[in-house]
Amino acid sequence: KNEVEQSPQNLTAQEGEFITINCSYSVGISALHWLQQHPGGGIVSLFMLSSGKKKHGRLIATINIQEKHSSLHITASHPRDSAVYICAVTANFGNEKLTFGTGTRLTIIP
Amino acid sequence: DAGVIQSPRHEVTEMGQEVTLRCKPISGHNSLFWYRQTMMRGLELLIYFNNNVPIDDSGMPEDRFSAKMPNASFSTLKIQPSEPRDSAVYFCASSPKWGRGNSPLHFGNGTRLTVT
C-alpha cells in the first residue's frame, strides 16, 4: 500500500462543475502539498498546509490531521484547470523528503 | 525572479554516454531537490541539499548517479554511464528555508532525458 493515495485517478467534468480530489496518507506528517502539473510538464505548488483550510482564488484545500485526509476543491471549473493534481506529504521526522501520490488527471470539457 | 532554471530542456543521448543536468535555484533559497518522474513510478526524490550539503541521497538509484552542489547557485546531476531505463523527466526544485517540510517548493521546467 502506498503511503499517499489519491482518488480518483482520472476525472472528467463539464465546465462550471465543482471538483473534489481526495488524498489519504498513512504516515504522520509535518506538511501536505498540493501540486499542479500542466500538459506542458511544468509543476506548480498550489498549497502547503499542515492544518485547517486554505483558499486561493477558485481553489480550496482542506486537511483533517486526525483522519489523515486532505481534499482539493475547485469551484466553477474551467478548461484551463485541466491538469494533473498531485498530493505530496512530508513525514514528521524532521527532513524535507516528499512522498508523492500518483496524481489525479483532471479534464474539464467546455 | 527568474524561478528555478534547468538546462538543457531536452537531452537525447546514446546508452553509455555521460549526461549532465544542470540547475540554478532561486536566489536565497537554501534547499535544493532533484526529482525524477516516469510513467511507471511517478515523481521520486533522488537527492536533496541544504546549504549546499547533501542531506538525503537515499533515492539515488545506483552508483551511476551522482549530484553536486558546489555553491548556492548551481547544482548538477550526472549519470555515467547512461542507460535506456534512465529515460525520464528530471526536475530540480528549491525552497526558501530549511525546516520540517513546511517550505513551499518551486520547481524548474524539467529536463526530458531520452537514452537510446
Side-chain angles (χ1 to χ4, degrees):
Chain A
K1 188 179 189 304
N2 292 332
E3 290 182 336
V4 181
E5 302 249 352
Q6 287 186 238
S7 63
Q9 281 192 304
N10 295 283
L11 178 58
T12 300
Q14 294 285 335
E15 182 174 355
E17 286 189 38
F18 181 81
I19 303 299
T20 296
I21 299 171
N22 296 299
C23 176
S24 296
Y25 52 91
S26 58
V27 297
I29 66 167
S30 59
L32 183 143
H33 301 250
W34 281 103
L35 309 173
Q36 179 192 55
Q37 186 169 28
H38 273 284
I43 299 175
V44 174
S45 178
L46 298 175
F47 295 104
M48 180 189 62
L49 64 166
S50 54
S51 65
K53 175 179 173 178
K54 288 190 175 181
K55 184 176 189 292
H56 185 254
R58 296 179 294 105
L59 273 61
I60 303 165
T62 63
I63 188 168
N64 184 317
I65 297 295
Q66 287 74 28
E67 294 186 3
K68 292 187 167 62
H69 181 269
S70 175
S71 293
L72 176 68
H73 305 285
I74 305 174
T75 61
S77 59
H78 189 276
R80 65 175 175 265
D81 298 325
S82 298
V84 175
Y85 293 84
I86 303 168
C87 172
V89 302
T90 310
N92 63 356
F93 44 76
N95 68 27
E96 301 276 342
K97 184 172 181 175
L98 279 178
T99 301
F100 295 90
T102 53
T104 295
R105 183 175 299 277
L106 174 65
T107 303
I108 303 297
I109 300 171
Chain B
D1 184 352
V4 176
I5 299 172
Q6 289 187 245
S7 64
R9 287 297 308 273
H10 302 274
E11 176 81 32
V12 180
T13 191
E14 292 184 349
M15 183 174 64
Q17 296 297 307
E18 178 180 295
V19 175
T20 300
L21 312 181
R22 297 173 176 79
C23 176
K24 177 177 166 50
I26 292 173
S27 178
H29 284 194
N30 64 5
S31 290
L32 182 140
F33 306 79
W34 282 102
Y35 294 99
R36 179 171 67 176
Q37 187 177 39
T38 61
M39 289 293 293
M40 291 295 294
R41 299 171 68 91
L43 272 164
E44 303 173 284
L45 176 70
L46 298 176
I47 185 171
Y48 77 93
F49 296 84
N50 182 57
N51 292 329
N52 313 338
V53 176
I55 301 299
D56 186 337
D57 65 355
S58 59
M60 296 286 264
E62 43 197 276
D63 291 344
R64 298 184 297 106
F65 285 69
S66 62
K68 294 182 181 179
M69 192 165 185
N71 57 61
S73 59
F74 184 66
S75 177
T76 58
L77 177 68
K78 186 177 291 187
I79 308 172
Q80 166 64 18
S82 58
E83 297 183 1
R85 59 194 167 118
D86 302 330
S87 298
V89 180
Y90 292 81
F91 287 98
C92 176
S94 68
S95 69
K97 62 179 182 178
W98 171 253
R100 290 166 59 83
N102 291 333
S103 304
L105 278 175
H106 300 258
F107 284 81
N109 288 327
T111 295
R112 182 174 296 276
L113 173 65
T114 303
V115 183
T116 61

